[in-house]
Amino acid sequence: MKLTILVQKMENLHKTNRAVIVFTPIMPRIKPIYCLVLSLLFCVSNNIAKCQTQQIERERQGLAFIKDGVKLVNSLNQLGALYRSRNVDSCFYYVVKAKRMATNLGYQKGQADADELIAYAFFKRGLYAESLGLLGEILPDYQTLNDPEKIIRVYLDMVEVLNKGISDRPKIKSLLQKAIQTGKKLEKDSIMAEVYISYCNRNPNLTEDSINYYLGKSNEIANRYKDDRMLIFNQLWQGRLLILSGQKQKALPLIRQLISDSQGIGDPNLEINALFLMTGYYDDKPKIALDYFYQAYQVAQKSGDKYLEIYILNNALEVANQLEDKDEIINVHLQLEKAMSAEWEKSKKFISDYIRYNAIVDDNKLLNAKNARRALWLLIVSSCATIIVLIIYLIMLRKDKKSKAQVDALNNAANIQIIAMEEAKHQAVREEQQRLGQDLHDGLASSIAAIRHQLEALSLDTSDIIFKNKLDVLLRETENAYKAARNKSHEWFSSSNDQQEQHFEEHIKLLTDNFLPESRYNKNINIDDGSLIGVDLDTRIALLRIIQEAITNIIKHARANNVGILIYEEEGNLILIINDDGIGLNEKKSSNEKSTIGLKSIRRRVQSLNGETTIHSDSKGTEITVSIPLKS
């Protein structure tokens, strides 16, 4: 489910037709009063980029020789960290493998380290909510492990996500203050150079003294640990401040040196920041500024970071619009469209990689060594699956027995009532009694329809092929019985004896008790026996059939809880009222056209007795009123 949501969010990002900023500016706009000059100038040699590349290559080659699982996880996470600022896809590739292995080993720190880098990859792909959520999950892990440096790294990452996502300034400031407090516990405080400069970046209302203080501490720590990247960041701050204070002539040589230093350290973000400073330097010369945007775009292309490309091209488009140069505008638009399409494809591949690496079982020696444990788990899972299947089978068997019991009850109820009336007239003739037995079955069309409905529902509910085939056989046989019953339904019934009037109410109650169990329905049955005196047997049987049809319809379609039956005499007419509190005929008809067959049968029976049928139905329930003229 989560992966589906990620894919949908990636699609939404692609459709917005606007660039998502993935490039953190050196600092926000600040007031001139905050401008200051940093005294330290620093040059970085080309050996730095080569050294990092060599370190990556050594780590990659060393993977094949690592036998210990924990060390292998640490090495994969180290590779991911080295790729963090160089190639987010490579970073993601290695840390997902590390995450899977650490999970299999139960190595908590390895999992947390991998999750921290996965969260960073989500952030770089614009999945801010997912990144922030994952960072929030791993922060307690590092607090449990008492790892201050990792806690600070999580705080910094959360700051970047919040800055790009919802821009919650109070929350950002609070996290950075927590990072500063946590930094007091560090023996090696190299990461604090980044914390202090980030505090300046994310607090535009700092006083000049505060800016001097935090930048000074950042520069001091960066020098102490020879952190070339942070030293360049400090110099980028210096260049920005010189431009904002109007000292462009002093800023120009510094910015050019920063471009060279950034190229030497091999960090495209730093180089693009330096090139952006040049665009700020030439803000009054749009043509030159546009050339530097193009240079920044080329750097982003080499880094493979499409988000950077989109961000840069959007800025270049604004400058091209200022120039009112149609050729430049068209060119930037074409490059922007190409970059956004490429980024969309890359984003889809990113999600595809995440799914694939979480689905494929790692087939290396580490997992082979755990085959015995996996076999034990397989046995446990198989046992659980067997128990679940057995429970499902018992549930289905219980449903089958319950359905069969209900079918038998319906048959017995109809048999008892019809036999009680039919045998009263034909006691003397044995052959006629046999025909009456046949008539009982002929009159069960509605009951058989209910049985068929139950069997169809049971067939839809089960996934057991053998059981479904058996149900299909029963359905065919039920269909044959239904057709036979319908063909015989026109046959007439004989009259009853004088005791039928006093038993008629019992017959109806017996019918409803079997059809409508007390545990499921609330019933209200009122019959005026005096109204049935002199009513012939045919009319009585028709009333039973009408009630049976109505109850069958209620069971199959109404979803009712309360059912009422009322019979009385009024102005020479026998009145039958059947009501329920179900969903109503309109909803029943829209869900199943077959639900009207029972109502048509009721109308036909009433018409055969020269009576009238009135049906009132809405969402609160249905009421069927039958009026049959009594013979004088």
Side-chain angles (χ1 to χ4, degrees):
M1 179 62 70
K2 289 183 179 180
L3 294 175
T4 302
I5 295 172
L6 292 183
V7 174
Q8 291 173 347
K9 289 192 175 184
M10 298 300 292
E11 291 175 349
N12 292 336
L13 283 173
H14 178 64
K15 294 176 181 177
T16 53
N17 196 26
R18 64 180 179 83
V20 179
I21 302 175
V22 296
F23 156 66
T24 304
I26 295 306
M27 56 170 283
R29 290 182 179 272
I30 61 174
K31 299 177 182 178
I33 193 173
Y34 296 143
C35 296
L36 70 158
V37 177
L38 299 179
S39 59
L40 180 63
L41 296 177
F42 188 83
C43 297
V44 183
S45 69
N46 289 332
N47 291 331
I48 296 172
K50 293 180 180 178
C51 179
Q52 191 178 37
T53 303
Q54 291 171 356
Q55 187 178 359
I56 290 174
E57 191 59 32
R58 284 197 302 270
E59 289 286 348
R60 290 176 59 187
Q61 292 176 356
L63 291 177
F65 302 99
I66 299 176
K67 305 300 181 183
D68 181 72
V70 172
K71 290 182 178 179
L72 183 57
V73 170
N74 291 337
S75 184
L76 288 169
N77 280 329
Q78 177 64 20
L79 266 171
L82 289 171
Y83 274 116
R84 176 185 169 107
S85 61
R86 297 174 65 89
N87 188 312
V88 69
D89 292 327
S90 297
C91 169
F92 184 76
Y93 170 82
Y94 287 109
V95 296
V96 168
K97 291 187 70 174
K99 165 73 173 179
R100 189 172 189 84
M101 293 181 186
T103 301
N104 290 332
L105 290 169
Y107 178 27
Q108 184 182 3
K109 187 177 185 305
Q111 295 179 59
D113 291 344
D115 281 336
E116 189 268 324
L117 290 167
I118 289 173
Y120 175 78
F122 283 163
F123 162 64
K124 294 295 287 183
R125 288 297 172 208
L127 301 173
Y128 303 135
E130 288 73 17
S131 178
L132 196 62
L134 190 54
L135 290 170
E137 291 176 6
I138 62 177
L139 182 59
D141 293 336
Y142 283 135
Q143 290 171 337
T144 301
L145 294 169
N146 194 25
D147 191 335
E149 185 172 355
K150 286 296 185 179
I151 293 173
I152 292 171
R153 171 51 58 196
V154 173
Y155 284 147
L156 289 174
D157 286 349
M158 293 175 79
V159 165
E160 292 305 309
V161 177
L162 288 169
N163 183 63
K164 292 296 179 63
I166 59 176
S167 297
D168 186 345
R169 292 295 171 187
K171 180 67 173 178
I172 290 172
K173 184 176 179 180
S174 173
L175 289 170
L176 288 171
Q177 289 172 343
K178 289 180 180 179
I180 291 173
Q181 291 299 318
T182 305
K184 296 178 180 180
K185 304 175 184 178
L186 289 172
E187 295 181 4
K188 181 182 178 181
D189 61 349
S190 58
I191 195 173
M192 296 306 296
E194 186 175 348
V195 173
Y196 290 128
I197 200 168
S198 182
Y199 193 75
C200 290
N201 282 342
R202 306 308 172 204
N203 286 276
N205 296 323
L206 285 176
T207 64
E208 183 177 353
D209 289 341
S210 296
I211 293 175
N212 281 320
Y213 173 77
Y214 289 115
L215 289 180
K217 289 187 71 67
S218 175
N219 203 55
E220 175 191 347
I221 295 171
N223 271 302
R224 187 194 316 153
Y225 292 100
K226 297 182 180 180
D227 189 339
D228 302 308
R229 181 172 175 273
M230 291 310 305
L231 286 170
I232 293 176
F233 260 115
N234 278 281
Q235 292 174 63
L236 286 168
W237 257 88
Q238 181 186 9
R240 174 65 65 83
L241 293 171
L242 288 172
I243 292 174
L244 291 176
S245 63
Q247 302 180 60
K248 288 189 173 182
Q249 294 303 318
K250 291 183 179 180
L252 185 59
L254 174 61
I255 298 172
R256 287 174 177 171
Q257 184 61 49
L258 289 174
I259 293 173
S260 176
D261 292 345
S262 300
Q263 292 171 345
I265 201 173
D267 192 321
N269 284 331
L270 291 176
E271 186 176 354
I272 291 171
N273 270 275
L275 290 169
F276 262 59
L277 280 182
M278 291 299 285
T279 65
Y281 180 85
Y282 289 108
D283 60 346
D284 56 343
K285 297 178 181 179
K287 182 63 177 176
I288 299 176
L290 185 60
D291 290 338
Y292 279 105
F293 275 124
Y294 284 149
Q295 291 183 40
Y297 173 60
Q298 292 174 357
V299 175
Q301 281 184 308
K302 292 179 182 178
S303 72
D305 193 330
K306 296 299 179 183
Y307 273 111
L308 275 175
E309 293 182 33
I310 295 170
Y311 176 69
I312 293 166
L313 288 170
N314 272 286
N315 283 274
L317 183 60
E318 293 182 8
V319 177
N321 287 328
Q322 292 176 10
L323 288 171
E324 298 182 353
D325 188 329
K326 293 183 179 179
D327 292 336
E328 292 289 0
I329 293 172
I330 292 172
N331 178 55
V332 175
H333 268 297
L334 290 174
Q335 295 298 327
L336 184 59
E337 183 178 355
K338 181 180 178 182
M340 292 183 71
S341 297
E343 173 56 23
W344 172 233
E345 293 300 324
K346 198 170 183 180
S347 297
K348 289 195 294 185
K349 182 181 181 300
F350 174 80
I351 297 300
S352 176
D353 289 343
Y354 184 77
I355 296 171
R356 185 173 69 254
Y357 287 116
N358 278 280
I360 297 175
V361 178
D362 200 346
D363 57 355
N364 56 34
K365 295 181 179 179
L366 176 63
L367 294 182
N368 289 334
K370 302 298 179 180
N371 277 339
R373 191 177 70 177
R374 291 177 60 191
L376 177 60
W377 277 108
L378 183 60
L379 178 61
I380 294 173
V381 171
S382 299
S383 300
C384 293
T386 302
I387 293 172
I388 291 172
V389 170
L390 180 60
I391 292 173
I392 293 173
Y393 173 76
L394 292 175
I395 292 173
M396 297 306 299
L397 186 61
R398 182 181 178 185
K399 287 184 177 180
D400 183 42
K401 290 181 178 179
K402 186 177 180 180
S403 176
K404 185 178 179 181
Q406 186 176 10
V407 171
D408 292 339
L410 295 178
N411 288 331
N412 292 334
N415 287 339
I416 291 171
Q417 294 167 60
I418 303 298
I419 288 173
M421 290 185 290
E422 296 281 326
E423 286 187 348
K425 184 178 180 179
H426 301 287
Q427 296 175 6
V429 184
R430 185 60 181 172
E431 293 81 5
E432 192 67 3
Q433 289 178 346
Q434 293 176 353
R435 191 182 72 81
L436 289 176
Q438 183 64 46
D439 289 343
L440 294 177
H441 292 285
D442 295 341
L444 292 176
S446 296
S447 299
I448 295 173
I451 297 169
R452 182 180 60 185
H453 172 74
Q454 293 293 329
L455 291 173
E456 287 175 347
L458 192 57
S459 178
L460 291 174
D461 289 342
T462 184
S463 60
D464 189 327
I465 301 301
I466 297 176
F467 186 54
K468 187 182 287 291
N469 291 336
K470 292 180 178 179
L471 289 176
D472 290 340
V473 173
L474 288 176
L475 280 171
R476 288 194 294 271
E477 292 298 325
T478 305
E479 180 67 21
N480 293 335
Y482 175 79
K483 290 179 180 179
R486 292 291 292 173
N487 290 336
K488 291 290 185 178
S489 62
H490 65 280
E491 294 189 19
W492 301 92
F493 290 87
S494 300
S495 61
S496 179
N497 58 19
D498 295 336
Q499 296 180 346
Q500 288 173 332
E501 287 84 357
Q502 62 184 3
H503 294 309
F504 190 73
E505 183 175 358
E506 296 178 5
H507 295 157
I508 293 176
K509 289 183 177 180
L510 182 61
L511 178 69
T512 56
D513 286 342
N514 284 279
F515 269 84
L516 306 171
E518 296 287 347
S519 59
R520 174 67 178 84
Y521 298 94
N522 296 320
K523 294 168 290 185
N524 183 17
I525 301 173
N526 292 293
I527 300 175
D528 180 9
D529 285 335
S531 64
L532 297 172
I533 297 175
V535 176
D536 58 39
L537 183 61
D538 295 334
T539 302
R540 297 169 189 271
I541 294 175
L543 288 175
L544 280 175
R545 297 295 191 192
I546 291 169
I547 294 171
Q548 190 177 24
E549 289 281 4
I551 293 176
T552 300
N553 232 30
I554 291 171
I555 293 172
K556 291 171 64 177
H557 308 292
R559 306 176 194 169
N561 294 317
N562 298 287
V563 179
I565 298 175
L566 174 62
I567 298 177
Y568 64 95
E569 180 184 353
E570 183 180 72
E571 297 180 355
N573 293 313
L574 184 64
I575 308 299
L576 167 63
I577 299 176
I578 304 171
N579 57 62
D580 66 73
D581 61 348
I583 63 175
L585 290 178
N586 290 334
E587 295 187 33
K588 291 187 287 185
K589 184 175 179 180
S590 63
S591 62
N592 189 351
E593 291 293 337
K594 293 181 179 180
S595 64
T596 62
I597 295 177
L599 298 177
K600 291 178 180 179
S601 176
I602 291 173
R603 291 183 187 276
R604 286 197 300 269
R605 292 184 185 279
V606 175
Q607 287 174 0
S608 69
L609 298 172
N610 298 319
E612 295 181 354
T613 305
T614 303
I615 300 176
H616 174 73
S617 181
D618 56 29
S619 61
K620 296 181 180 180
T622 301
E623 181 175 278
I624 301 174
T625 302
V626 173
S627 177
I628 300 173
L630 294 172
K631 297 178 182 179
S632 58

